[in-house]
Amino acid sequence: MLRMRVPALLVLLFCFRGSAGPSPHFLQQPEDLVVLLGEEARLPCALGAYWGLVQWTKSGLALGGQRDLPGWSRYWISGNAANGQHDLHIRPVELEDEASYECQATQAGLRSRPAQLHVLVPPEAPQVLGGPSVSLVAGVPANLTCRSRGDARPTPELLWFRDGVLLDGTTFHQTLLKEGTPGSVESTLTLTPFSHDDGATFVCRARSQALPSGRDTAITLSLQYPPEVTLSASPHTVQEGEKVIFLCQATAQPPVTGYRWAKGGSPVLGARGPRLEVVADASFLTEPVSCEVSNAVGSANRSTALDVLFGPILQAKPEPVSVDVGEDASFSCAWRGNPLPRVTWTRRGGAQVLGSGATLHLPSVGPEDAGDYVCRAEPGLSGLGGGAAEARLTVNAPPVVTALHSAPAFLRGPARLQCLVFASPAPDAVVWSWDEGFLEAGSQGRFLVETFPAPESRGGLGPGLISVLHISGTQESDFSRSFNCSARNRLGEGGAQASLGRRASASFSEQKNLMRIPGSSDGSSSRGPEEEETGSREDRGPIVHTDHSDLVLEEEGTLETKDPTNGYYKVRGVSVSLSLGEAPGGGLFLPPPSPLGPPGTPTFYDFNPHLGMVPPCRLYRARAGYLTTPHPRAFTSYIKPTSFGPPDLAPGTPPFPCAAFPTPSHPRLQTHV
């Protein structure tokens, strides 16, 4: 009965008191709290108008009503209970303390709002894999990995720094050690190091809300890199022929193991070490010198070309050019030098500059443009190099024919007419023609034609030919008629007329036996060529008669020696030598000397026994297709005819009359009539 009355009395008491004062209420309620692991957490709670029992709950579990909270060694309640202060303290905070807490006034039936306690775990110092010294190879991409381990809450952020500057290009990878718990965090920095990064310090920082300043771990890069080469030349600008020293300097990790030198890609034999000494020439301008340095990681190469000053060097000669009349012609030549040479063009034998540069252009050329053209480069500053190269311009045109001077002939004696032919292209034929006939080659009656190559061509006019018309047994009509020498090629025809001069004396067959040969007793002239050609009759010595004849053969006068080739060939007396010797029929073949007078007087020969007789020999005969003469020095140059045989003689005509004598054992004398 008593037990039933107690609750009723308590209700009446509260009702009485309520009517007497304020009801219990919270003056301060706990709020969410974030605290670092190991530090102290304080959750405040204050009640007004309540003097009853106050307790705290942790995630719904009552911690007890006593102030020291037995069984919870790190927990206690503080404050003045009479004043309604009931604060909950936790020290040191551990991870298990993270929960929801409430302050309850049990007897008043009051509960505070829940307060969430968050426990923060600061990150530990991160670990950089491979540290504290990380070995990398310069130029090879690599990764630096930073890892934060432990139960850090919240998950930390990993950052990379170099020299206090935040680096970009980082990536993060999160790994859970087991479900529901944060795991380790990794950050990977991707970089391509270079040699200047050797010894650099990189910092990985782990930071979070629990530790805003973060914790750092530093590592040092130790780089291996191939040699870095610097190549220098002293002096760099040099005259050809001077000495130059190349110096090859290198930094490398690990150290340098070897040097290799090359020039223009070809190894320099015997070159060792970082120093090379050479003597500069023009090739060093276009063939650089290179130095290759090696170590265990790799190799590096550097090269440099010298600025070599040298005189002009001919690289490409001008080529001969052949064009038809009216066409354009051009020549090209190439010189190299440092500095670049000045190239000029002139004509051989002339001083006028026709052009400059690598190419000479000649528009619409004519025969007068034919000749040799010279490409010239002046020597360089050193005085070395330079020079000239020439090429011939051949202008294809109709043949140019010139009648050469021929010696006067005796009636019924041998005679010879000559013409000089220049033509490009070479003439198809050279033809001699007269009143009753013509002849290109070989013999016809009293006539025979031979053609010889000239020893040299007239500049640019093509090869030269000498055509000789031999006449056996001249007749009266031969001295009055004109003989025409003509040549033709694909561009046209050219010709010249020649006439035969006559000696004013008895006919050849009626002459006596004396002929004077100016000169010494050994058959050689005692005067120079000019005296022989231009001497007067009085200079020729006395006339000596023999017992065999009272007739002395005298020359009518001095023969004029004009040169129709303007200096290209020397025309002298009866024969035009042209380095060929006397052509057949152009001079008399003499027997060994038989002087009739004392030494030093003109030499005479007795022809009487031979006059009027038919020579037992022919001046020309065929042998292996070549023309031959009675004496080995009759000619020094001749061409091979396509065919040749004995002359076709008219009935009763002697075959090429000649003075027949015993074959001399000495060289044939040349007579100037």
Side-chain angles (χ1 to χ4, degrees):
M1 185 73 176
L2 180 60
R3 292 178 178 176
M4 295 180 62
R5 290 178 180 175
V6 170
L9 291 174
L10 290 174
V11 172
L12 292 174
L13 177 61
F14 278 104
C15 291
F16 174 78
R17 291 183 62 180
S19 61
S23 60
H25 59 278
F26 282 101
L27 298 176
Q28 185 179 11
Q29 298 188 53
E31 294 182 352
D32 292 345
L33 179 64
V34 177
V35 63
L36 290 178
L37 180 69
E39 296 184 356
E40 180 179 338
R42 174 180 170 274
L43 296 173
C45 179
L47 292 167
Y50 179 74
W51 295 272
L53 179 65
V54 176
Q55 68 174 4
W56 285 85
T57 62
K58 176 185 177 181
S59 298
L61 176 65
L63 299 179
Q66 300 179 17
R67 306 291 283 186
D68 56 356
L69 298 177
W72 303 88
S73 59
R74 295 179 294 107
Y75 290 55
W76 74 91
I77 298 175
S78 67
N80 189 345
N83 296 328
Q85 194 70 35
H86 306 278
D87 298 340
L88 176 64
H89 293 262
I90 306 174
R91 189 178 61 186
V93 173
E94 297 182 357
L95 289 178
E96 62 185 27
D97 299 329
E98 189 171 84
S100 177
Y101 293 87
E102 290 183 2
C103 179
Q104 298 178 355
T106 306
Q107 295 172 334
L110 296 176
R111 301 174 61 181
S112 69
R113 60 176 176 269
Q116 187 68 34
L117 177 63
H118 298 280
V119 178
L120 300 182
V121 180
E124 298 178 359
Q127 177 188 9
V128 179
L129 301 185
S133 179
V134 179
S135 180
L136 301 177
V137 177
V140 178
N143 294 329
L144 294 179
T145 300
C146 179
R147 181 176 295 169
S148 176
R149 292 186 176 274
D151 296 325
R153 298 185 183 186
T155 301
E157 178 185 16
L158 300 179
L159 303 174
W160 288 95
F161 293 86
R162 178 179 178 176
D163 299 331
V165 178
L166 178 65
L167 300 179
D168 295 330
T170 59
T171 58
F172 296 93
H173 306 279
Q174 181 170 317
T175 304
L176 297 177
L177 293 178
K178 57 183 178 179
E179 186 177 354
T181 61
S184 64
V185 178
E186 290 182 349
S187 176
T188 301
L189 173 65
T190 300
L191 76 163
T192 301
F194 295 96
S195 58
H196 61 265
D197 295 322
D198 186 38
T201 299
F202 286 79
V203 172
C204 178
R205 175 176 296 172
R207 71 178 184 181
S208 69
Q209 183 181 356
L211 189 62
S213 61
R215 288 181 176 173
D216 296 342
T217 298
I219 57 98
T220 301
L221 294 186
S222 176
L223 289 183
Q224 292 186 346
Y225 52 92
E228 292 188 344
V229 181
T230 301
L231 180 61
S232 61
S234 179
H236 185 265
T237 300
V238 60
Q239 289 282 351
E240 185 176 20
E242 293 183 353
K243 184 184 297 184
V244 178
I245 296 177
F246 291 90
L247 188 61
C248 186
Q249 297 175 308
T251 58
Q253 183 64 34
V256 171
T257 57
Y259 294 85
R260 190 170 74 94
W261 292 90
K263 174 178 175 284
S266 300
V268 178
L269 301 179
R272 297 288 186 272
R275 188 174 183 271
L276 176 66
E277 184 175 313
V278 300
V279 175
D281 58 33
S283 64
F284 284 88
L285 186 66
T286 55
E287 298 178 9
V289 171
S290 62
C291 174
E292 182 180 82
V293 186
S294 305
N295 69 352
V297 176
S299 62
N301 187 300
R302 289 293 180 272
S303 63
T304 184
L306 294 179
D307 184 19
V308 182
L309 305 178
F310 61 94
I313 298 175
L314 181 63
Q315 286 187 303
K317 296 181 179 179
E319 297 293 334
V321 176
S322 177
V323 296
D324 290 349
V325 172
E327 294 182 346
D328 294 347
S330 62
F331 293 95
S332 296
C333 72
W335 296 82
R336 72 184 184 98
N338 187 27
L340 290 175
R342 179 176 180 268
V343 179
T344 58
W345 292 87
T346 59
R347 193 165 179 175
R348 184 178 182 182
Q352 181 182 1
V353 176
L354 304 177
S356 60
T359 301
L360 173 66
H361 181 69
L362 302 173
S364 187
V365 299
E368 68 279 1
D369 296 315
D372 296 320
Y373 288 82
V374 181
C375 171
R376 188 182 309 277
E378 298 301 326
L381 298 177
S382 63
L384 301 177
E390 63 182 45
R392 174 160 294 182
L393 172 62
T394 300
V395 179
N396 299 322
V400 176
V401 181
T402 303
L404 300 180
H405 176 75
S406 298
F410 294 110
L411 180 63
R412 289 187 292 278
R416 181 178 64 181
L417 297 174
Q418 301 175 107
C419 69
L420 181 61
V421 179
F422 289 104
S424 177
D428 302 322
V430 179
V431 179
W432 283 92
S433 60
W434 55 95
D435 294 343
E436 68 272 16
F438 65 91
L439 185 60
E440 178 178 339
S443 62
Q444 175 183 321
R446 299 182 297 112
F447 302 96
L448 179 141
V449 171
E450 291 180 302
T451 302
F452 305 90
E456 64 179 84
S457 64
R458 182 182 296 177
L461 293 179
L465 298 174
I466 300 174
S467 184
V468 182
L469 174 64
H470 298 279
I471 305 174
S472 174
T474 57
Q475 300 176 0
E476 288 288 350
S477 58
D478 295 333
F479 299 102
S480 59
R481 64 166 52 125
S482 293
F483 293 87
N484 185 62
C485 177
S486 61
R488 65 176 179 274
N489 61 12
R490 64 177 177 82
L491 296 174
E493 183 175 352
Q497 286 188 344
S499 58
L500 183 61
R502 180 174 178 176
R503 288 187 180 276
S505 65
S507 67
F508 185 79
S509 62
E510 297 174 353
Q511 293 174 36
K512 297 298 181 178
N513 63 340
L514 292 183
M515 176 175 286
R516 182 177 56 203
I517 307 297
S520 63
S521 60
D522 60 357
S524 63
S525 175
S526 62
R527 291 175 296 171
E530 296 300 325
E531 294 175 358
E532 292 183 13
E533 294 176 5
T534 62
S536 66
R537 296 173 56 94
E538 291 76 14
D539 295 334
R540 299 171 184 240
I543 301 174
V544 180
H545 295 264
T546 69
D547 296 335
H548 302 285
S549 174
D550 57 356
L551 176 63
V552 177
L553 303 181
E554 278 284 324
E555 296 178 354
E556 288 190 313
T558 302
L559 300 178
E560 183 181 1
T561 58
K562 295 183 178 179
D563 185 355
T565 62
N566 294 323
Y568 275 82
Y569 304 98
K570 183 67 174 176
V571 182
R572 303 180 63 185
V574 175
S575 60
V576 181
S577 296
L578 296 168
S579 300
L580 297 173
E582 296 78 0
L588 294 175
F589 296 95
L590 303 178
S594 300
L596 301 179
T601 61
T603 304
F604 295 85
Y605 295 90
D606 187 358
F607 288 88
N608 190 57
H610 307 284
L611 297 178
M613 64 178 289
V614 177
C617 64
R618 296 196 178 185
L619 287 179
Y620 311 97
R621 62 183 181 274
R623 180 166 60 185
Y626 287 88
L627 295 177
T628 61
T629 66
H631 193 275
R633 291 189 59 191
F635 303 98
T636 61
S637 176
Y638 48 84
I639 61 172
K640 179 180 178 179
T642 56
S643 64
F644 186 78
D648 297 328
L649 301 179
T653 303
F656 295 97
C658 66
F661 304 103
T663 303
S665 60
H666 59 80
R668 178 169 61 87
L669 301 177
Q670 175 174 324
T671 60
H672 299 275
V673 181

